């Protein structure tokens, strides 16, 4: 009876790992943050330039400010450099455009 339970747990665990790995390779991500709608998102590389209104996944830069945000729990852990999760953001303006009175520069870091 115990062997059977261990075998069932092993099969379920292997199936979950296979499903998760396949979803990751196919660009699927689970969003559990309140910044954008909760659910399963598909990430794909744009075959065009970014435009205002696009939703983009970005990795926060590895800086002391973002380190502090991660330590305080404002950011989640993930697979971006520095151990952070990507952020989902809507593009409000492009370089050399203004948005709500703020000019967007050429710094694209």
């Amino acid at each position: 009876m115990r062997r059977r339970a261990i075998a069932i747990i092993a099969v379920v665990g292997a199936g979950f790992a296979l499903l998760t790995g396949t979803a990751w390779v196919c660009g699927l991500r689970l969003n559990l943050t309140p910044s954008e709608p909760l659910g399963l998102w598909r990430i794909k590389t744009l075959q065009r330039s970014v435009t205002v209104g696009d939703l983009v996944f970005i990795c926060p830069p590895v800086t002391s400010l973002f380190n502090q945000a991660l330590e305080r729990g404002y950011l989640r852990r993930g697979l971006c450099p520095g151990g952070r999760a990507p952020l989902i953001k809507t593009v409000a303006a492009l370089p050399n455009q203004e948005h709500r009175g703020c000019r967007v520069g050429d710094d694209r870091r």
Side-chain angles (χ1 to χ4, degrees), residues 3-16:
R3 284 186 185 177
R4 184 174 183 191
I6 291 172
I8 290 172
I9 291 171
V11 168
V12 169
F16 180 76

Side-chain angles (χ1 to χ4, degrees), residues 24 29-37 41 43 54-63 65-67 69-70 73-81 83-91 109:
W24 185 266
R29 303 294 185 274
L30 182 61
N31 178 40
L32 298 175
T33 64
S35 62
E36 292 293 339
W41 290 67
I43 300 174
D54 283 345
L55 278 175
V56 294
F57 278 65
I58 61 164
C59 286
V62 181
T63 64
L65 181 67
F66 281 101
N67 288 339
L70 183 63
Y74 303 141
L75 299 176
R76 296 182 186 223
R77 297 204 176 275
L79 297 176
C80 287
R84 298 169 186 84
L87 303 173
I88 307 170
K89 297 296 173 189
T90 302
V91 176
R109 285 184 281 163

Side-chain angles (χ1 to χ4, degrees), residues 18-47:
L18 180 64
L19 181 64
T20 302
T22 302
W24 185 266
V25 169
C26 292
L28 298 177
R29 303 294 185 274
L30 182 61
N31 178 40
L32 298 175
T33 64
S35 62
E36 292 293 339
L38 302 176
L40 195 60
W41 290 67
R42 182 168 177 245
I43 300 174
K44 59 182 185 177
T45 304
L46 286 176
Q47 302 301 319

Side-chain angles (χ1 to χ4, degrees), residues 89-109:
K89 297 296 173 189
T90 302
V91 176
L94 297 172
N96 300 316
Q97 289 184 333
E98 288 189 19
H99 178 67
R100 296 183 184 173
C102 295
R103 186 156 183 78
V104 177
D106 287 323
D107 186 4
R108 297 181 189 181
R109 285 184 281 163

